[in-house]
C-alpha cells in the first residue's frame, strides 16, 4: 500500500510556507504512476512556488516492487557514521517486528542516498542484480586508479547487448560514459554466484562500493 501525508514546509531560502505531499511508502504494483514520478524526481522533492528553491524532504521512504521482488528502505543521510547507526536501527526494528517474514527470495536494500535509490530501481527493472553491477562499477573506476578518488560511477541503462554507466569526475567537472558488454556482466554475476553470493537477501543489505570492495577481496554474503 502506498501511504502519504500532507506537510506544511517553510522554504529554507525565502521562508514561504507551502503544503507538500510526502510519501512514506510506495508499492510499485499498485501505483505505477508514483513509480514514474519517483524516477523523474517528483516524489518527496520540495519546490518553492515563490523562489523555485528545491530540496529533498528528509523523510524515510519504503519502496516495494512485488514483481521484481525488491524492497528498499530509504532514509536520507550524508554522514557515514550516522548512516551505519540508521542501518543498525532498521535491522534491530525488523528483527523485533518480524516485518520481513514472508519475503523469501526478495532483495532487501537499505540506502541513504536518493540517487542510489533511483539507480537500484533502474538496475532491477533492467533484469540485473546490483551486486554484480556494483562490482563492475568499481572495476570501471579502478581502470584509472590515480583518478578514482575524485570519481563516482552510476548505472545508466541497459542498451541492447551493452550496459551504459555514467562516470562523474569532481576534479575535472566532467561526466563520461562507459559501455560494458552484457556478456561481461553475466560473467561477473556467474563468478559471484559460484563464490557463494546469493541472488536474494536474508535481511536488509547495504550493497554499495564498500560491499563490492569486500567481494573483490574474497568476502561474500
Amino acid at each position: 500500500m502506498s501511504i502519504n501525508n500532507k506537510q506544511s514546509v517553510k522554504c529554507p531560502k525565502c521562508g514561504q510556507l507551502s503544503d507538500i505531499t510526502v510519501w512514506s511508502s510506495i508499492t510499485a504494483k499498485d501505483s505505477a504512476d508514483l513509480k514514474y514520478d519517483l524516477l523523474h524526481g517528483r516524489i518527496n522533492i520540495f519546490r518553492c512556488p515563490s523562489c523555485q528553491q528545491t530540496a529533498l524532504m528528509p523523510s524515510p521512504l519504503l519502496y516495494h516492487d512485488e514483481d521484481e521482488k525488491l524492497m528498499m528502505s530509504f532514509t536520507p543521510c550524508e554522514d557515514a557514521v550516522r548512516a551505519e547507526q540508521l542501518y543498525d536501527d532498521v535491522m534491530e526494528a525488523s528483527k523485533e517486528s518480524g516485518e520481513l517474514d514472508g519475503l523469501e527470495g526478495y532483495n532487501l536494500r537499505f540506502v541513504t542516498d536518493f540517487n542510489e535509490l533511483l539507480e537500484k530501481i533502474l538496475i532491477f527493472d533492467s533484469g540485473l542484480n546490483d551486486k554484480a553491477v556494483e562490482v563492475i562499477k568499481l572495476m570501471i573506476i579502478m581502470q584509472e586508479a590515480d583518478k578514482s578518488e575524485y570519481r563516482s560511477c552510476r548505472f545508466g541503462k541497459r542498451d541492447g547487448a551493452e550496459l551504459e554507466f555514467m562516470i562523474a569526475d569532481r576534479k575535472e567537472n566532467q561526466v563520461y560514459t562507459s559501455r560494458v558488454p552484457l556478456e561481461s556482466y553475466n560473467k561477473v554475476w556467474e563468478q559471484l554466484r559460484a563464490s557463494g553470493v546469493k541472488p536474494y537477501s536474508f535481511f536488509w543489505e547495504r550493497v554499495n562500493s564498500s560491499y563490492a570492495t569486500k567481494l573483490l577481496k574474497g568476502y561474500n554474503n
Side-chain angles (χ1 to χ4, degrees):
M1 178 185 297
S2 298
I3 303 171
N4 69 66
N5 64 84
K6 296 286 187 180
Q7 293 186 19
S8 184
V9 179
K10 184 176 182 180
C11 176
K13 185 176 181 180
C14 71
Q16 178 172 319
L17 284 174
S18 303
D19 291 332
I20 180 174
T21 299
V22 178
W23 292 89
S24 57
S25 177
I26 292 179
T27 303
K29 189 172 184 177
D30 299 332
S31 312
D33 55 335
L34 287 178
K35 177 179 178 179
Y36 180 88
D37 286 345
L38 176 64
L39 289 171
H40 289 79
R42 300 171 188 164
I43 295 292
N44 293 359
I45 302 293
F46 168 77
R47 290 181 176 84
C48 179
S50 178
C51 70
Q52 308 308 312
Q53 174 77 3
T54 62
L56 174 67
M57 295 294 294
S59 304
L61 173 67
L62 183 68
Y63 176 85
H64 181 198
D65 189 328
E66 185 178 347
D67 291 335
E68 297 295 340
K69 287 196 170 184
L70 173 66
M71 183 174 286
M72 289 191 285
S73 176
F74 166 65
T75 301
C77 180
E78 296 181 357
D79 181 81
V81 175
R82 176 58 179 159
E84 284 297 329
Q85 182 59 58
L86 289 170
Y87 175 63
D88 291 341
D89 291 345
V90 167
M91 291 280 282
E92 186 62 31
S94 293
K95 288 178 181 178
E96 292 180 357
S97 68
E99 62 187 0
L100 301 182
D101 294 346
L103 296 180
E104 183 178 352
Y106 264 72
N107 277 290
L108 306 169
R109 301 291 183 262
F110 177 81
V111 297
T112 57
D113 179 85
F114 187 69
N115 288 325
E116 183 181 3
L117 171 70
L118 304 186
E119 178 188 38
K120 290 189 181 299
I121 294 175
L122 293 176
I123 289 172
F124 283 96
D125 278 357
S126 298
L128 309 172
N129 190 285
D130 60 338
K131 294 178 179 180
V133 170
E134 286 295 335
V135 170
I136 291 174
K137 285 165 58 178
L138 186 59
M139 294 169 67
I140 291 173
I141 290 293
M142 294 311 297
Q143 287 178 350
E144 295 184 273
D146 58 319
K147 299 181 179 180
S148 62
E149 180 181 356
Y150 311 104
R151 290 185 170 182
S152 59
C153 183
R154 293 281 186 193
F155 173 79
K157 63 181 179 180
R158 178 173 177 172
D159 187 10
E162 292 185 319
L163 306 182
E164 183 178 278
F165 294 84
M166 310 304 294
I167 305 162
D169 190 307
R170 297 185 299 276
K171 187 174 183 180
E172 298 176 3
N173 195 29
Q174 294 287 334
V175 176
Y176 303 94
T177 300
S178 177
R179 300 180 74 85
V180 175
L182 179 61
E183 182 181 356
S184 297
Y185 162 86
N186 290 334
K187 288 181 179 179
V188 168
W189 187 219
E190 181 180 350
Q191 291 170 355
L192 291 177
R193 292 287 304 278
S195 72
V197 172
K198 299 296 187 294
Y200 48 82
S201 303
F202 297 101
F203 226 76
W204 294 112
E205 296 181 279
R206 298 193 70 190
V207 179
N208 48 28
S209 59
S210 296
Y211 178 90
T213 299
K214 292 179 180 179
L215 289 181
L216 290 178
K217 289 182 178 180
Y219 298 92
N220 60 48
N221 65 341

